[in-house]
Every structure is written in structure tokens, then in C-alpha cells.
Amino acid sequence: AQSVTQLGSHVSVSEGALVLLRCNYSSSVPPYLFWYVQYPNQGLQLLLKYTSAATLVKGINGFEAEFKKSETSFHLTKPSAHMSDAAEYFCAVAKTGGGNKLTFGTGTQLKVEL
Amino acid sequence: DTGVSQDPRHKITKRGQNVTFRCDPISEHNRLYWYRQTLGQGPEFLTYFQNEAQLEKSRLLSDRFSAERPKGSFSTLEIQRTEQGDSAMYLCASSAAGSSTEAFFGQGTRLTVV
């Protein structure tokens, strides 16, 4: 079975500071990994995905994530936080050949302070 | 195409009543998923369709829940005899066929059972 663990349910950064949101996965087969963002009372928007093509994945809004098999991690980073980045972020895993069914982490609420 | 659309956006119902939600996926997507999200949690998989065939159902989907996708286009999720524990955001997503294609989410239907 696949699962993801997001360390830190709340992260607070200053505007302009580095954003680092942590995600570790567990999968018995090579996984597909995703980061989604959710604004209040909205659905989820895909930030980026890892599908084994390249270990460093660039996404929208300046976000990127690096797949590290040895650490079973897929942490999300952004060099400089903007106020508009304040939202909830979800890491998710899908099993290859599993119909794209996603298993989500519990989410990390990102707060950006002036 | 404007993306995945869900109707209604909000639903308040009395305990014991039946409710039905509708999801219209992106037109060229043959896969459609339902997820449930409770406060402070990540979305949890409920069920998914490939065309009109319901291929997988979660154990979360009790006998009071039923989902259909009669012509392989829109889908409905019905909850019979609602309980307060059914209060949640119900999210629909769609994707194209293929192992690595991402799911696109609708804005969700927020159900409140009073």
C-alpha cells in the first residue's frame, strides 16, 4: 500500500524567505508523486508531479520538488515566499498502474508573514 | 472546456434526508474520481470510474453511498439517510487514461448535515 507523511501540519515563513514543505512516501512499487495546493473552500490545484522522468521537478508559481529515492522523500521548495502562497499544501502518491488513484497526506498549512 | 464542475457548491440537509451531487468532468477525460475531505485532513479516495464502469470502491463507501456514471460522462454521488458524520467536502476529479496523467479537481461540494 502507498502512503505519504507530511511533517509539520503548520509552517510559517516570512515573505521572501525559503519555503520548505516536507513529504516522505512509502510505496512497494515505483511511485508517482504529486504536490497539490488548496485555497480555502476550493478544490485542489496541481503544483507539480514526479513520474520518474527527472528527479528535480519544476512546477507552477516557482515551486519545485526533488525526488530522493534513498530518503523516500519528495520535499517541496520555493526560494522566496510570497503572500499569495499562503494556502494548504498536500503531497500525494499514486501507484503505477493503479488507475491514478491518489493517496494524500494530511496537509501542511503554509502561513506567510510580512 | 472550463475544467471539472461540481453542483451544488454547498448543501445543507437534515439528518436522515437523501442528497445527490453531480460532477461534470473535463470532456475528454475517461476517468472520474470521488474523494471526501473532512476538516483538517487530506482528501480520501471513495471510488473511481473508467468510462461508465465503476472500477474501485473504498471501504469508506458504505451501503448508504452510491455513485453512477451512466453514459461515461457526468457522474452522480448519492448519500441516503444522511448522518452528521457525512458532513464533509466531496471532491470530484477527472483524468485522461495513462499511468502518469494528473487528476484535475473540481471545487467540491460542501455538505453539512444538521
Side-chain angles (χ1 to χ4, degrees):
Chain A
Q2 289 67 238
S3 66
V4 291
T5 302
Q6 291 185 243
L7 299 175
S9 58
H10 291 81
V11 169
S12 184
V13 300
S14 299
E15 191 174 33
L18 171 72
V19 175
L20 170 61
L21 304 182
R22 299 177 187 274
C23 173
N24 287 87
Y25 72 90
S26 172
S27 178
S28 57
V29 297
Y32 294 136
L33 292 160
F34 305 81
W35 275 100
Y36 282 86
V37 62
Q38 186 177 35
Y39 296 96
N41 295 312
Q42 299 293 318
L44 284 80
Q45 180 184 12
L46 181 71
L47 283 176
L48 49 81
K49 65 177 182 180
Y50 166 75
T51 57
S52 76
T55 56
L56 182 62
V57 181
K58 293 188 183 298
I60 62 170
N61 301 339
F63 285 94
E64 63 181 41
E66 186 172 8
F67 174 74
K68 292 186 177 180
K69 185 177 178 181
S70 60
E71 299 177 8
T72 61
S73 69
F74 190 58
H75 301 330
L76 182 70
T77 60
K78 182 174 180 178
S80 176
H82 191 272
M83 296 296 289
S84 61
D85 295 326
E88 187 142 30
Y89 292 79
F90 292 96
C91 182
V93 63
K95 186 174 68 172
T96 54
N100 296 1
K101 179 183 74 175
L102 295 166
T103 302
F104 286 87
T106 51
T108 297
Q109 185 71 44
L110 176 65
K111 182 177 179 182
V112 182
E113 299 174 319
L114 286 171
Chain B
D1 191 289
T2 56
V4 179
S5 123
Q6 292 188 245
D7 182 71
R9 291 290 310 279
H10 303 273
K11 178 72 176 179
I12 300 175
T13 191
K14 291 184 178 179
R15 192 172 48 188
Q17 297 294 304
N18 298 345
V19 294
T20 300
F21 309 141
R22 177 180 170 124
C23 171
D24 287 89
I26 293 172
S27 56
E28 61 267 29
H29 287 177
N30 63 353
R31 288 180 177 165
L32 185 148
Y33 312 80
W34 286 99
Y35 290 84
R36 180 171 68 187
Q37 185 179 22
T38 52
L39 204 61
Q41 298 297 317
E44 295 174 294
F45 170 78
L46 292 178
T47 188
Y48 98 94
F49 294 83
Q50 179 150 313
N51 300 313
E52 66 275 12
Q54 188 173 18
L55 296 188
E56 189 172 345
K57 290 167 59 172
S58 163
R59 286 174 295 175
L60 293 175
L61 214 63
S62 77
D63 291 345
R64 297 184 297 105
F65 288 69
S66 62
E68 294 183 340
R69 194 182 182 198
K71 296 182 180 179
S73 56
F74 73 91
S75 175
T76 57
L77 178 68
E78 181 184 17
I79 309 174
Q80 295 182 324
R81 305 181 303 281
T82 52
E83 302 172 355
Q84 285 190 320
D86 297 331
S87 295
M89 174 81 90
Y90 290 84
L91 293 163
C92 177
S94 70
S95 74
S99 297
S100 64
T101 56
E102 64 264 30
F104 292 82
F105 282 80
Q107 294 191 307
T109 294
R110 180 166 295 285
L111 173 66
T112 303
V113 182
V114 296

